[in-house]
Amino acid sequence: FRRPEFETTTQVDPGPYAMGDHALVTTSARYYAGGALPNAEVRWNVQASPGTFAPAGWPDWTFGRPVPWWMRWHRSGGGVTHNQSLSSRLGTNGQHVARIDFDGGEPIQPWAVTAHATVFDVNRQAWTTQAHVLVHPARLYAGLKCDKAFAQAGEALKFELVASDLEGKAVAGVAV
C-alpha cells in the first residue's frame, strides 16, 4: 500500500446532449500538500454503451427501445460498446480538457458515455476518476403507453403516443 500523494477529479456538464453535440470533460490533479501537478501524464478512455431514457413524470410510458421487465438484465443494445483512448499531459494549472464529439452510434438509441481519466505523477502513482453523460439519438422522443402488458392473439390493444423533449416535457404539434 502506498499513501496517496495527490487527488484527481473529472467533471463534465450534465447536458442534455444529443447526437451531433460535443462535451468538454475536464480532469484536474492536485497534490495533497498543495499545488497542481503540472505536465503530468493523463490517459483518457471513453466508453459508450447502450443506455435508456425514462423522463420524470412518465412512469407508465416507454421511450426508445422497450425492455420487458423479465429481461431487465439484458442490455438493450445487444452488448455493443464503442471505445476511444487518448494520451496527453496536464497543463501548468494541473488540468486537461478533452472534447468528446457525439457523431452517432449504431443502433440508434440513447448512449451512456463514461470518460475515465488516469493521471500519473512523477513517482508513477496513478489515480483514475470518471464522469458520465447520457447522449440522446435526437432532441425529441416518441413515448408509447399500452393499456395492458399481455394480450390474446387477435385481441385489440389501445395505445397512447406522446412527443417529449429531453427534459420530459410534452411537445404539442409534432407528428408521431
Side-chain angles (χ1 to χ4, degrees):
F1 176 77
R2 272 178 70 188
R3 178 182 301 178
E5 297 173 11
F6 67 97
E7 67 178 338
T8 62
T9 59
T10 301
Q11 298 176 333
V12 63
D13 178 25
Y17 295 104
M19 290 299 168
D21 293 343
H22 72 271
L24 299 178
V25 186
T26 304
T27 193
S28 303
R30 299 190 63 77
Y31 285 109
Y32 284 120
L37 271 73
N39 204 33
E41 180 184 2
V42 60
R43 293 183 191 162
W44 289 95
N45 182 29
V46 179
Q47 181 180 41
S49 57
T52 58
F53 177 64
W58 301 93
D60 299 326
W61 293 73
T62 299
F63 293 82
R65 212 175 276 252
V67 179
W69 62 266
W70 63 89
M71 290 186 66
R72 294 282 184 229
W73 54 269
H74 185 328
R75 296 176 74 160
S76 60
V80 175
T81 59
H82 302 280
N83 290 292
Q84 288 268 253
S85 297
L86 166 73
S87 292
S88 191
R89 297 231 167 244
L90 299 179
T92 56
N93 61 354
Q95 292 185 341
H96 185 266
V97 179
R99 177 180 164 143
I100 304 172
D101 293 320
F102 306 122
D103 295 331
E106 292 294 331
I108 297 172
Q109 64 181 33
W111 289 90
V113 177
T114 303
H116 300 269
T118 303
V119 177
F120 300 84
D121 72 350
V122 294
N123 297 325
R124 301 305 298 161
Q125 190 175 52
W127 289 104
T128 302
T129 57
Q130 60 190 0
H132 308 277
V133 295
L134 181 63
V135 181
H136 303 278
R139 298 251 175 244
L140 295 177
Y141 276 87
L144 176 70
K145 180 179 177 182
C146 186
D147 64 338
K148 54 179 105 174
F150 296 95
Q152 297 296 321
E155 183 180 351
L157 295 173
K158 178 184 169 191
F159 290 97
E160 294 179 59
L161 295 171
V162 68
S164 167
D165 66 10
L166 300 181
E167 295 173 357
K169 295 178 187 161
V171 179
V174 175
V176 179

